[in-house]
Amino acid sequence: MAACLLMATLGVCAQTHEKDSLRVISLQEVEIISTRATGTTPVAFTNVSKEQLKKQNFGQDIPYLLSFTPSVLTTSDAGAGIGYTSIRVRGTDATRINVTTNGIPINDAESHTVFWVNLPDFASSVKDMQVQRGAGTSTNGAGAFGASINMQTGDFSMKPYAEFNGSYGSFHTHKETVKVGTGLINNHWSFDARLSNISTDGYIDRASVGLNSYYLQGGYYNDNTSIKLITFAGKERTYHAWNYASKEEMERYGRRYNSCGFMYATDRDGHQEYKGERSLAEYGMSPFEYNGGKVEVSDLIRKKAMDNWFGGGIFSVSYKADRLHASLGGALNRYDGDHFGKVLWVKNYIGELNPDHDYYRNNATKNDGNIYLKANYELVSGLSAYLDLRYRHINYKINGLNDKYNWTATTPGMQKLDIDEDFDFFNPKAGLSWQIDRNHRLYGSFSVAHKEPTRNNYTDGYFTEHPKAERLFDYELGYTFANSWLHAGANFYYM
């Protein structure tokens, strides 16, 4: 079970027009879109509209809704696109793909990935999306190597509405979504809500998924100001389904075989975190006496858990003149997370286990701040120069005992974590865009991107050596053709 909360305050510009004694209010929300590419930005990108999302939104996670955009590869643990899914762009895994919602970072601060299972049916509340391939333009949060995915949530409706939609498919997959909105109340207030339920048995054994989520937004609007609150959360219950079957296992048990939770051929519904013949020392436990013998190795059931908090703020200001369009933006965020584990049961154990005993516990904090400046200048008619500068600073700390036992230490014990590292990244980007005529465009760019190590880079590596940051050089050359009925293009890149 997991949840995600997003709160944002956005401003608007408004104009009032008098006509036939009726007061007409036109509100235009000012969104955090300075991280998005436009027709003169020399990068490869794809815009996905609300209509496109709606056509294929049958409860599958957002990676599957993006599977038909260029250079995207998706996988699904359960095999139905619901539950734990992953996305790769240009062969790059999810830890190197930056994801934001309304400009707010969504990537997990330590693993750098996005757990889409915690955002069930989020696509029903998304207005549009943009996928930038490669390093892309500067954005908030994690480093973008393979791509950056920018999502914007929906606008308020001027009129009241109520909507229900549902779907049913293979493997008892079904989705139910209810959406309601008040419209504009007294020319100042508006509220929207969504409730969703998604469930599937999954394609492979023991891969069932049950998901629930809500989305709420409310706002106050007047002639020149808007204050908007957005909150959403997701709850998921999933079986473990990340082990894929070998050819031999498929021949023995069938194509839908899943070894997670599989104990014996006659018992396919075994315990999920059942560990056989494990050293008690690895779990902070002392040997015990049983049948006149000393037990140091036994079967057991463990539970790992986390308690994570993330918060911060973002800003963006823009300037636009005849030839120059510039924006300044940034973010400051803090993450605080506890990682801990407990032993729930030990085979043949005499006595009672302490339910409050942690066999490991550590705390991680991460302070992440960035600032960027972008400018697009029209040199001559149709030819634009682009410059993008970003500075990012990270402080990452982990202290406590990890879940891995260090047998090589002078005094063996749980791996001790004492990490306190700072990273400073400067990421320049520059390029040219040439609008040859109304149908043809040519562009080229060079970008630098950096990425700090993930948590696993520290905990899975050597006990005495720390990993290093990564750096990417991205060269792009592209051509696009567009008219009223056809859009085509080619993009060459070297990373």
Side-chain angles (χ1 to χ4, degrees), residues 166-183:
S167 60
Y168 185 86
S170 303
F171 318 116
H172 301 292
T173 302
H174 59 90
K175 167 183 173 287
E176 297 82 35
T177 301
V178 177
K179 300 173 69 176
V180 294
T182 63

Side-chain angles (χ1 to χ4, degrees), residues 348-418:
N348 297 326
Y349 188 78
I350 304 299
E352 295 184 1
L353 296 172
N354 183 357
D356 297 322
H357 172 70
D358 298 328
Y359 73 91
Y360 77 92
R361 177 178 284 270
N362 58 79
N363 174 261
T365 60
K366 187 174 187 179
N367 296 314
D368 185 349
N370 71 271
I371 188 170
Y372 58 82
L373 175 65
K374 305 178 185 182
N376 194 89
Y377 185 77
E378 188 178 30
L379 301 173
V380 295
S381 179
L383 180 63
S384 299
Y386 177 78
L387 180 66
D388 186 339
L389 306 174
R390 184 193 190 214
Y391 168 74
R392 183 176 178 224
H393 174 78
I394 304 113
N395 173 254
Y396 185 36
K397 297 179 180 179
I398 313 178
N399 293 284
L401 298 179
N402 194 28
D403 63 336
K404 294 177 176 59
Y405 198 82
N406 186 359
W407 294 99
T408 64
T410 305
T411 303
M414 304 305 290
Q415 178 190 11
K416 294 182 179 180
L417 299 173
D418 186 15

